[in-house]
Amino acid sequence: MAYRAQTHNIEENIHRNLKIQDTNQNNDKAKESIKPNSLSNLYRKDSDSQLSIMEEAYKSLIESVGEDSSREGLKKTPERAAKALMFFTKGYEEKIEDLLNNAIFDEDHDEIVIVKDIEFFSMCEHHLVPFVGKVSIGYLPNKRVIGLSKIARIVEMFSRRLQVQERLTKQIAVALTEAVAPAGVGVVIEASHMCMVMRGVQKLNSQTVTSCMLGYFREDPKTREEFLALIK
């Protein structure tokens, strides 16, 4: 019986290692799909030089809706709004390599690591109004782990841009895949979109849920189910 149990364990380990090898190949394909000039690599330089242009644009918008941009309450609004938008989109000024700051560590850990309910704020690129919610991220290490705070920083970097939720979900998953080459990654985002709350259909309680599963999380139902159960 002991021999059978040992043989069974060996077979399970071989099967898992083979799956990890397949997963690494899938992750390599995912990396290749992110082109150098894709949206995930946009970078903004010298944002201060753009403030005066943005202030004039906001002043024009205020006047276009019928307001007096020179009245006391609105005099500094163009400047404040320009600075606010720069902050809302500060993710364009960040690079993933600077953000990670070498916080990748060799560690022989092969169970799922999850950081869940990470709050985020982003801007819908279709209407320039916010969508807000939470992100849950899990990955299956493959001899390397990432500093936990860096996972939240990846979320912050990509959410502080003009976005759609579907793309945001995938960008986070691919960034983590590129950072630590894990056996698998899962990302789930649940968010409320002001473009559906403040205008249009005006559905106050609607929530949008998106997911991206890579590697083991896509290929192995049990791993995916475990991840989804743990983030509930």
Side-chain angles (χ1 to χ4, degrees), residues 93-210:
E93 299 174 11
E94 298 173 332
K95 292 183 177 180
I96 192 72
E97 55 268 26
D98 297 333
L99 181 149
L100 294 177
N101 195 28
N102 297 318
I104 308 294
F105 310 101
D106 294 330
E107 190 67 41
D108 190 17
H109 180 78
D110 60 357
E111 298 295 335
I112 297 175
V113 177
I114 293 175
V115 180
K116 68 176 187 176
D117 297 338
I118 303 169
E119 296 176 344
F120 79 94
F121 304 85
S122 194
M123 294 285 286
C124 168
E125 66 180 34
H126 299 147
H127 300 97
L128 296 185
V129 293
F131 64 97
V132 301
K134 59 184 180 180
V135 187
S136 292
I137 301 171
Y139 74 101
L140 190 61
N142 186 13
K143 306 298 183 181
R144 295 200 301 172
V145 297
I146 185 172
L148 296 179
S149 68
K150 303 306 180 184
I151 295 177
R153 291 186 185 277
I154 290 173
V155 173
E156 181 75 0
M157 172 182 167
F158 286 110
S159 63
R160 292 295 187 178
R161 300 181 177 194
L162 302 183
Q163 278 286 10
V164 295
Q165 185 174 326
E166 297 88 341
R167 183 171 67 238
L168 174 61
T169 310
K170 186 172 182 179
Q171 285 179 335
I172 294 170
V174 171
L176 187 55
T177 298
E178 292 179 338
V180 292
V185 172
V187 178
V188 175
I189 297 182
E190 182 177 347
S192 176
H193 291 248
M194 293 302 105
C195 58
M196 289 183 64
V197 173
M198 299 172 63
R199 57 164 298 282
V201 293
Q202 301 181 56
K203 300 302 181 184
L204 300 181
N205 298 314
S206 63
Q207 296 285 317
T208 300
V209 180
T210 51

Side-chain angles (χ1 to χ4, degrees), residues 79-91:
E79 177 186 352
R80 288 190 292 260
K83 290 180 178 178
L85 185 59
M86 280 299 187
F87 179 79
F88 297 155
T89 58
K90 67 185 179 72

Side-chain angles (χ1 to χ4, degrees), residues 28-44:
D28 289 339
K29 291 179 182 179
K31 293 178 186 177
E32 291 173 0
S33 69
I34 305 300
K35 300 179 181 178
N37 295 321
S38 69
L39 291 173
S40 64
N41 292 291
L42 291 174
Y43 186 66
R44 178 174 74 201

